[in-house]
């Protein structure tokens, strides 16, 4: 098959949203398909670079342009675009809010990513494909996929990494920003729901990362046939990652921290453990990537308080590149995972990365949904709901480490390997062939 993968980010762009499109393209290519990646020229920071193997992949970079006024713009559109430009010049954040609101109201698909493709280029770029797989968000890529479909008999697969319109509140984090309940917000919500339904009606295939998001998509577009392709891990990626020397017994958490997560139970457990001078001198906790911006500093207050009390036991970093994160994961003795309080529908891609590393997962959770069941069924770690359980779990694995008896033999590799990217994209290939 000739397959196009449409993604906002792709290596060497190291954003987390690059991972799923990359492994989709890489593995489909390795399975013998002719794969072309269409991605944007969005810039990335020097510490956000990722250089996996892209050999054999055709990569077409499309230009991302600011909202622009050209000959095709109508009078009303020109006026609106001029107003939005003006809003962007206003000080103190007022302009930013007005600009964002105007984009939500009038240019929803051009708000996050506006790829410049002329009508003449469409056939040359996409005309020979059998399938185009669009990775969302941004949802403008789904709109682009529908436009591509109109030029020929190309089939389109819409791949949701996240929900677009959340009918089920369990699948979204309030801390990531939600609409208010005023009239304008309600109008935007209804309009976006209508846009999503229209786009779903044009899809030949819909895929997503979890059952709760799949159910949500079906509620938006009740005719949608949705398949689940889980986020995975790459065994090859892990094998190629070097270890680093970490002193002592290391527990590591990688990625951002949200206010819905509760770290206090871990700190309570460690407080008890640190009454023992041996534990206090040996156990280290690394929080890699939590200090991503100044806006997260308030929710990191418990981290800073605990670090001030135990400066030699706590290590926090800002964003690190993918290879450095993998080194911490591979070099740790336990990997920390935190559920999202009262949210049962969020399945973090980080959990699958942890499974691929093969270290014991310390999963702090007060619910028992798919994520927790997966860890237990794979015998990949321990789900703890109280500080006493956390303390006992750390103590057990510390003593095993101390005596050299830590072993991965009990891990259910057969269960874990179901969630490798190789297995999951193999499932996708089978679906594409049938559809």
């Amino acid at each position: 098959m000739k397959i196009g993968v449409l993604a906002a980010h792709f290596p060497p762009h190291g954003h987390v949203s690059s991972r799923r499109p990359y492994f989709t393209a890489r593995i489909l290519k390795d399975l013998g398909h002719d794969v072309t990646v269409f991605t944007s020229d969005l810039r990335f920071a020097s510490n956000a670079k990722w250089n996996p193997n892209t050999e054999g992949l055709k990569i077409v970079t499309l230009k991302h342009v600011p909202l622009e006024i050209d000959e095709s713009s109508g009078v009303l559109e020109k006026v609106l675009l001029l107003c939005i430009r003006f809003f962007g010049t206003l000080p103190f954040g007022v302009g930013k809010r007005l600009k964002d609101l105007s984009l939500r109201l009038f240019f929803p698909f051009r708000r996050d990513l506006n790829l410049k493709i002329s009508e003449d280029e469409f056939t040359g770029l996409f005309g020979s494909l059998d399938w185009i797989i669009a990775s969302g968000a941004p949802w403008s890529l789904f709109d682009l996929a529908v436009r591509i479909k109109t030029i020929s008999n190309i089939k389109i697969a819409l791949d949701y990494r996240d929900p677009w319109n959340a009918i089920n509140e369990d699948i979204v984090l309030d801390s990531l920003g939600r609409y208010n309940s005023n009239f304008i917000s309600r109008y935007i919500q209804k309009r976006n729901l209508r846009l999503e339904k229209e786009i779903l009606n044009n899809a030949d295939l819909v895929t997503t990362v979890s059952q709760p998001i799949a159910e949500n998509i079906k509620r938006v577009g009740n005719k949608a046939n949705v398949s689940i392709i889980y986020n995975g891990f790459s065994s090859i990626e892990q094998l190629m990652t070097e270890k680093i020397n970490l002193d002592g017994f290391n527990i590591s958490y990688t990625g951002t921290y949200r206010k819905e997560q509760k770290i206090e139970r871990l700190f309570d457990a460690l407080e008890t453990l640190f009454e023992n001078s041996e534990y206090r001198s040996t156990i280290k906790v690394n929080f890699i990537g939590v200090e991503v911006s100044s806006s997260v500093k308030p929710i990191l207050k418990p981290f800073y308080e605990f670090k001030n009390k135990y400066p030699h036991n706590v290590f926090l970093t800002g964003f690190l590149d993918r290879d450095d994160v993998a080194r911490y994961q591979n070099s740790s003795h336990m990997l920390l995972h935190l559920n999202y309080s009262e949210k049962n529908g969020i399945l973090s891609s980080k959990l699958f990365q942890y499974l691929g590393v093969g270290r014991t997962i310390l999963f702090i959770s007060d619910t028992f949904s798919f994520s927790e069941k997966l860890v237990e069924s794979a015998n990949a770690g321990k789900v703890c709901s109280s500080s006493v359980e956390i303390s006992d779990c750390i103590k057990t694995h510390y003593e095993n480490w101390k005596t050299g008896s830590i072993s991965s033999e009990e891990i259910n590799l057969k269960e874990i390997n179901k969630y490798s990217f190789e297995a999951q994209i193999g499932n996708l290939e089978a679906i594409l062939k049938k559809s």
Side-chain angles (χ1 to χ4, degrees), residues 371-383:
S371 300
E372 292 84 353
K373 291 175 185 176
L374 174 57
V375 169
E376 291 206 342
S377 66
N379 202 24
K382 177 73 174 175
V383 179

Side-chain angles (χ1 to χ4, degrees), residues 303-320:
F303 294 75
Y304 297 131
E305 290 176 346
F306 196 78
K307 181 174 174 58
N308 287 337
K309 193 169 184 179
Y310 302 102
H312 301 295
N313 301 90
V314 181
F315 179 58
L316 294 89
T317 78
F319 186 91
L320 297 183

Side-chain angles (χ1 to χ4, degrees), residues 138-337:
W139 312 117
S140 56
L141 294 182
F142 284 7
D143 180 55
L144 178 55
V146 171
R147 290 173 60 201
I148 292 169
K149 183 176 180 177
T150 63
I151 68 170
S152 66
N153 293 321
I154 297 171
K155 293 181 179 179
I156 62 171
L158 307 180
D159 184 43
Y160 284 73
R161 300 188 316 274
D162 297 296
W164 182 350
N165 292 287
I167 297 175
N168 175 9
E169 295 288 325
D170 248 1
I171 63 174
V172 288
L173 297 176
D174 296 333
S175 60
L176 293 180
R178 304 299 306 280
Y179 294 118
N180 298 320
S181 58
N182 59 46
F183 170 77
I184 295 176
S185 294
R186 289 197 300 271
Y187 168 77
I188 292 172
Q189 284 178 295
K190 287 182 178 179
R191 195 273 316 280
N192 283 351
L193 200 61
R194 175 178 56 78
L195 289 174
E196 182 176 6
K197 189 170 183 177
E198 288 175 359
I199 282 179
L200 283 170
N201 287 339
N202 282 281
D204 298 286
L205 174 65
V206 181
T207 57
T208 192
V209 297
S210 73
Q211 186 63 40
I213 297 180
E215 295 300 326
N216 188 81
I217 295 168
K218 291 174 184 177
R219 290 176 67 183
V220 174
N222 53 19
K223 295 180 182 178
N225 182 17
V226 189
S227 297
I228 299 171
I229 304 297
Y230 291 103
N231 278 313
F233 63 88
S234 168
S235 54
I236 295 174
E237 184 183 30
Q238 295 300 341
L239 288 171
M240 292 176 66
T241 301
E242 297 177 0
K243 288 189 177 182
I244 52 178
N245 292 322
L246 297 177
D247 294 333
F249 180 84
N250 280 262
I251 304 168
S252 292
Y253 175 90
T254 58
T256 51
Y257 176 80
R258 307 292 182 188
K259 73 175 184 180
E260 288 87 354
Q261 296 171 296
K262 306 300 179 187
I263 196 66
E264 288 80 4
R265 279 173 287 185
L266 173 67
F267 291 152
D268 288 344
L270 291 172
E271 189 90 48
T272 301
L273 287 172
F274 288 168
E275 292 174 2
N276 181 315
S277 60
E278 180 185 344
Y279 293 147
R280 190 169 63 250
S281 64
T282 312
I283 295 175
K284 318 287 183 186
V285 189
N286 308 299
F287 296 100
I288 307 304
V290 294
E291 294 184 307
V292 289
S293 68
S294 59
S295 64
V296 304
K297 294 295 177 68
I299 68 170
L300 295 181
K301 184 179 178 182
F303 294 75
Y304 297 131
E305 290 176 346
F306 196 78
K307 181 174 174 58
N308 287 337
K309 193 169 184 179
Y310 302 102
H312 301 295
N313 301 90
V314 181
F315 179 58
L316 294 89
T317 78
F319 186 91
L320 297 183
D321 68 35
R322 176 62 220 156
D323 290 340
D324 284 338
V325 172
R327 290 185 188 102
Y328 270 97
Q329 291 176 346
N330 273 11
S331 306
S332 297
H333 305 97
M334 300 184 80
L335 296 173
L336 174 64
H337 194 59

Side-chain angles (χ1 to χ4, degrees), residues 116-127 147 151:
K116 184 70 172 176
I117 309 171
S118 71
E119 295 300 323
D120 293 337
E121 290 178 298
F122 258 76
T123 301
L125 285 171
F126 310 112
R147 290 173 60 201
I151 68 170

